[in-house]
Amino acid sequence: MRGVGDFFERIIDLDVTAAEAGSLADRTVDWMVSHGRLRRETSGEAMYSLHAETGYLPGPEWPGIAREWGADWIPGPVAVIVGRHAHYGGQGEIEPAWAGCPRCGARTVIIDYPTAWEADPEVWRPFATAIESWERTGSGTATCPSCAAASPITEWTWADEFALGALALDFWGWPPLTDEFVAELTTFLAHRVEHHSGKF
């Protein structure tokens, strides 16, 4: 049975710099290949990552890092995405409901559910501008409406599994990854990670 390719599970490294992301990506692939979890062979079939056209095919030991979904299940490729990007969980690029200030902890409401179902453009604009600057240059700041402190956009916390990172792994059509593997990969990366899922 072929896995349904439009569902994904993603792990984003929140701390790696763009300059270091490529080498860390290579080491991560080497590590996963050495454990039989991936193969060197790549494919673009059943994979829809926005920033990668192909991914690595599962290796013979892939069942050891995912839950049991039947012996005939065949997952899709794993895309390794290098570069500064905003990553969205769920379905589509929907702005996070709030942003959390790293200085005072106040949450700025971006989508006022259930009163509204779309981002308030005036509230979201400074965050979007900071994110765009960070994607282009590696630097961007946003000012908290509550405490007036300006903080790097990468230090803010977000609702709805939204994340900023320079390295991400997209597992397409896989059964849910085990908590043990996510912890193991987090230890290997030696950085904070965001773990989310979604549907293309």
Side-chain angles (χ1 to χ4, degrees), residues 3 7 9 15 45 66 84 90 104 110 122 131 141 160 178 181 188:
F7 289 91
E9 195 164 354
D15 296 327
E45 182 181 354
R84 290 185 293 264
C104 72
I110 297 167
E122 294 303 316
I131 290 167
T141 60
D160 307 319
T178 65
F181 170 68
F188 179 84

Side-chain angles (χ1 to χ4, degrees), residues 2 4 11 33 35 42 71 78 80 87 98 110 128 155 172 199:
R2 188 69 188 177
V4 179
I11 297 175
V33 170
H35 286 77
T42 60
V78 176
V80 179
H87 297 280
W98 52 260
I110 297 167
E155 294 181 7
W172 284 97
K199 183 178 184 295

Side-chain angles (χ1 to χ4, degrees), residues 89 94-100 107 110 113 157-163 194:
I94 300 172
E95 295 85 355
W98 52 260
R107 292 181 176 182
I110 297 167
Y113 295 117
T157 58
W158 310 94
D160 307 319
E161 300 180 330
F162 179 79
E194 174 70 39

Side-chain angles (χ1 to χ4, degrees), residues 23-129:
S23 61
L24 182 56
D26 291 342
R27 294 197 305 274
T28 303
V29 171
D30 289 344
W31 174 69
M32 293 189 69
V33 170
S34 72
H35 286 77
R37 295 158 174 174
L38 293 180
R39 289 187 279 159
R40 292 286 179 192
E41 183 182 353
T42 60
S43 172
E45 182 181 354
M47 196 197 86
Y48 309 97
S49 296
L50 294 176
H51 307 291
E53 295 183 355
T54 61
Y56 295 90
L57 293 175
E61 301 302 321
W62 76 263
I65 63 173
R67 297 179 191 170
E68 174 61 49
W69 272 17
D72 59 347
W73 189 270
I74 302 174
V78 176
V80 179
I81 301 167
V82 175
R84 290 185 293 264
H85 299 293
H87 297 280
Y88 299 78
Q91 291 183 273
E93 294 189 5
I94 300 172
E95 295 85 355
W98 52 260
C101 175
R103 300 293 181 262
C104 72
R107 292 181 176 182
T108 300
V109 175
I110 297 167
I111 305 177
D112 189 15
Y113 295 117
T115 304
W117 296 93
E118 295 181 351
D120 182 318
E122 294 303 316
V123 175
W124 176 240
R125 183 173 293 111
F127 294 107
T129 299

